[in-house]
Amino acid sequence: MLRTSLMVATLTLAMNVASAQEASPPSSVAANAPAAAESETQQFARARLMEMARFLGNADKFSVSLRVAYDVVQENGQKIQFGEIRELAVQRPDRVRILQKAGDGTRDMTLFDGKTLTIFDGATAAYAQAPQPGDIDESVVYFVRDLQLRLPLAPMLMKNFANELQRRVSRVDYVERTDLLGKPAHHIAARTARADFQVWIAEGKQPLPLRIVMSYPAEEGQPQFSADFSQWNLSPRFDNATFRFRPPSDAKQIVFVVQLQTAQESNTQTDQASDKGVKP
Amino acid sequence: MTARKHTCIASVVTLAALIAGIYATPVAAARGDRAVAGGSRPSASKPSASPVAGGGFSRQGAAATGSFSGGSKTAAARPPAGTSSSNQAQRQEAAAANQQSRQSASQENQAQRQAASNENVSTRQSGATTRQQNAQQARGGYYYPPPPPPGYYHHDDDDWDSGSAAVGFVAGAVVGAAVTSASKQSAPPPPPTTTTVVVTPPPATIATLPCAPEVTNVNGVTYYRCDKSYYMQAYGSSGPVFMPVQPPKK
């Protein structure tokens, strides 16, 4: 009987140790390990980072609130910090709504309703629209790259977030296991070609980002961007009105700057062709 | 008695002027142009909700993008100030060294991805040229851009969120797609002849107009006129801005 109890106790202890090793970072930290051959700790850090990205990418829908702060280095070298609150509502495959309240009280909105991309400026009641090219991933790229509009942490909205991150991140390190606002979290540091970032990821079955701090070392003044995530909801209740744009009665539709620029180019080229007697 | 009355009135007037001054200052500040240049967020057209906001500070910068790929490829140059110049130089040197090291590490992957994406870009550019020629026929009317061609987004471009990195493709892809005349959309497109991509610098936008403009509407397009210059309002990365345009052709 005693022998059986001892065996059970030993087995239980062994299982607990194994379980703890899965959830905890390896004790050995090889800070100077070459990027090509990641240390055990770095592999653990990368695994946590990718786990977070896959978890978000696989979420069918979610809502979250971001308290954002970012530096802007002025022409005279002075670094000024601005803040805003961004309320995100995401429903795959193609719906996104971002309500933004800036530090000066202005309220703006970015909306992907499945057919149209809309960006609305609350202070001037001006908005611009473009047809939505496809799902969230395609729309995010079109919005940021082609329409040249601001969308902080844009890859985080994408189903393909893990791949987007994997391609960019050249080095990952595990800083420490810590508590953030009372929640146990993995503190991870990573680097891309032109940005360094730290992310705090919640431990447990829902590896959600709790905070991210990005810095741009090659930029003048090395400005930082940070966001604290709160009110994560992975089963929010959205209705048709959530992703519907109803412009105020005094709203006016304007074009995108990139449209205007390219229209001018087109007109100039046409003028030049006309001057030469050449039909376009 | 009369002298005392005059003194009283003078005191009241002075007090009123002081109070007016106290309240006028923050109002003026609030109306002040937060943006400095280059398409920064306009404050005159975007009045602040806070009485102490304003101050002429720009809101645009590398960190505002919150990009994983970096804010921009070209950091704004500014003269080093006073005693900090040495530190600044050291920081820049260190940053450059780190940057070089990381870029070197990622160059191989980047090269592989670029090779893979060249074919896709070529296909997109070809389509863009067709649309560009459509747009060249369009004059006057402005319409929102049609969606990009199918399959234009591939998961092999890891620089799409880096701000200026996008400009090359944008100029090529959106030149044709961005603005078309609604009245001429049914016209058959001419056959593509070249695949040239025109890369141009970002447009010179201003946050606020230099005058109280004369507003005119031509073919459904609103123009703002200051003296001999015409402007249109357009949505940029930091919100609505004004952009100089050619005079409308009526």
Side-chain angles (χ1 to χ4, degrees):
Chain A
M1 183 65 184
L2 180 62
R3 193 176 173 183
T4 308
S5 299
L6 274 173
M7 281 181 67
V8 169
T10 306
L11 191 61
T12 307
L13 183 63
M15 286 175 68
N16 284 342
V17 168
S19 173
Q21 281 178 343
E22 278 179 14
S24 305
S27 55
S28 63
V29 175
N32 296 321
E38 289 186 335
S39 70
E40 198 179 347
T41 310
Q42 288 175 316
Q43 288 175 24
F44 178 84
R46 187 177 286 272
R48 299 288 76 75
L49 189 65
M50 292 306 138
E51 186 181 59
M52 176 272 290
R54 278 193 297 271
F55 185 77
L56 263 186
N58 289 333
D60 287 335
K61 57 182 179 177
F62 64 82
S63 65
V64 65
S65 177
L66 277 70
R67 182 175 290 274
V68 170
Y70 59 88
D71 299 327
V72 177
V73 181
Q74 306 295 309
E75 287 182 356
N76 65 0
Q78 190 176 10
K79 198 186 291 184
I80 301 295
Q81 188 181 69
F82 292 101
E84 64 195 14
I85 292 174
R86 301 174 74 85
E87 307 280 353
L88 269 63
V90 175
Q91 180 173 288
R92 301 196 196 286
D94 53 13
R95 310 288 164 95
V96 172
R97 186 189 67 183
I98 301 171
L99 300 175
Q100 176 189 323
K101 182 181 178 186
D104 62 0
T106 56
R107 293 169 185 270
D108 303 333
M109 183 176 73
T110 299
L111 186 71
F112 302 173
D113 68 3
K115 293 180 179 176
T116 304
L117 307 179
T118 302
I119 185 161
F120 174 75
D121 182 74
T124 60
Y127 67 95
Q129 290 185 315
Q132 188 170 337
D135 63 10
I136 291 174
D137 289 27
E138 287 183 298
S139 304
V140 163
V141 175
Y142 182 56
F143 191 85
V144 173
R145 182 175 66 183
D146 297 347
L147 296 179
Q148 297 183 16
L149 297 171
R150 177 174 175 259
L151 190 60
L153 305 175
M156 278 192 163
L157 300 174
M158 302 167 77
K159 190 174 183 64
N160 204 31
F161 180 31
N163 286 341
E164 293 287 342
L165 210 51
Q166 182 76 23
R167 283 208 307 268
R168 288 170 169 78
V169 172
S170 57
R171 182 186 173 100
V172 191
D173 287 291
Y174 194 87
V175 179
E176 62 180 353
R177 193 177 181 187
T178 185
D179 269 15
L180 191 66
L181 302 174
K183 295 176 183 173
H186 301 291
H187 180 183
I188 288 165
R191 312 191 94 173
T192 70
R194 293 200 306 278
D196 295 342
F197 69 92
Q198 304 169 69
V199 60
W200 285 255
I201 300 170
E203 277 191 5
K205 292 179 179 177
Q206 294 188 342
L208 293 164
L210 302 176
R211 172 182 291 167
I212 190 164
V213 176
M214 315 191 71
S215 61
Y216 302 93
E219 295 289 337
E220 194 73 31
Q222 303 188 353
Q224 286 198 329
F225 171 97
S226 68
D228 282 325
F229 297 79
S230 63
Q231 301 172 50
W232 275 107
N233 187 349
L234 297 173
S235 52
R237 291 184 178 181
F238 299 141
D239 56 28
N240 291 334
T242 305
F243 301 102
R244 185 183 301 155
F245 177 58
R246 286 185 174 172
S249 56
D250 61 338
K252 55 182 173 181
Q253 185 172 4
I254 59 177
V255 295
F256 295 102
V257 164
V258 290
Q259 288 178 260
L260 217 43
Q261 178 194 15
T262 51
Q264 284 183 296
E265 288 170 3
S266 298
N267 286 344
T268 303
Q269 289 171 13
T270 307
D271 285 343
Q272 288 171 350
S274 300
D275 291 343
K276 292 176 183 175
V278 178
K279 290 182 180 178
Chain B
M1 190 64 182
T2 313
R4 195 175 171 186
K5 252 185 182 174
H6 279 300
T7 308
C8 249
I9 290 167
S11 301
V12 168
V13 168
T14 308
L15 191 62
L18 278 171
I19 291 171
I22 289 168
Y23 282 98
T25 304
V27 168
R31 286 178 182 167
D33 194 354
R34 164 169 289 166
V36 281
S40 296
R41 195 175 194 86
S43 64
S45 60
K46 199 171 177 62
S48 170
S50 165
V52 292
F57 292 110
S58 171
R59 277 177 177 267
Q60 272 197 319
T65 62
S67 163
F68 285 96
S69 300
S72 68
K73 282 185 174 174
T74 52
R78 60 185 169 93
T83 56
S84 68
S85 61
S86 173
N87 292 336
Q88 179 73 14
Q90 287 173 5
R91 284 197 302 271
Q92 285 178 346
E93 194 176 337
N98 292 335
Q99 177 78 4
Q100 192 174 10
S101 168
R102 277 180 285 162
Q103 283 180 344
S104 167
S106 65
Q107 265 179 357
E108 191 178 341
N109 293 336
Q110 179 72 17
Q112 288 172 0
R113 287 193 299 272
Q114 279 182 348
S117 67
N118 275 347
E119 190 179 342
N120 297 329
V121 170
S122 174
T123 306
R124 294 196 296 265
Q125 285 174 351
S126 174
T129 304
T130 306
R131 292 189 303 280
Q132 178 170 354
Q133 286 170 342
N134 288 340
Q136 283 175 0
Q137 292 190 343
R139 303 296 297 268
Y142 291 86
Y143 197 66
Y144 63 50
Y152 95 108
Y153 167 58
H154 296 270
H155 299 294
D156 53 14
D157 176 8
D158 62 358
D159 233 8
W160 56 263
D161 67 331
S162 64
S164 60
V167 172
F169 174 69
V170 168
V174 185
V175 156
V179 180
T180 55
S181 167
S183 62
K184 295 193 176 181
Q185 273 187 329
S186 59
T193 53
T194 66
T195 56
T196 305
V197 175
V198 180
V199 179
T200 56
T205 58
I206 53 174
T208 54
L209 290 171
C211 72
E214 175 193 335
V215 182
T216 57
N217 191 298
V218 180
N219 297 329
V221 180
T222 303
Y223 291 86
Y224 301 85
R225 180 184 171 191
C226 284
D227 195 16
K228 293 180 180 177
S229 300
Y230 285 84
Y231 300 87
M232 278 181 63
Q233 195 175 22
Y235 221 112
S237 62
S238 59
V241 291
F242 291 94
M243 190 173 164
V245 295
Q246 294 174 355
K249 295 182 178 179
K250 300 180 181 179

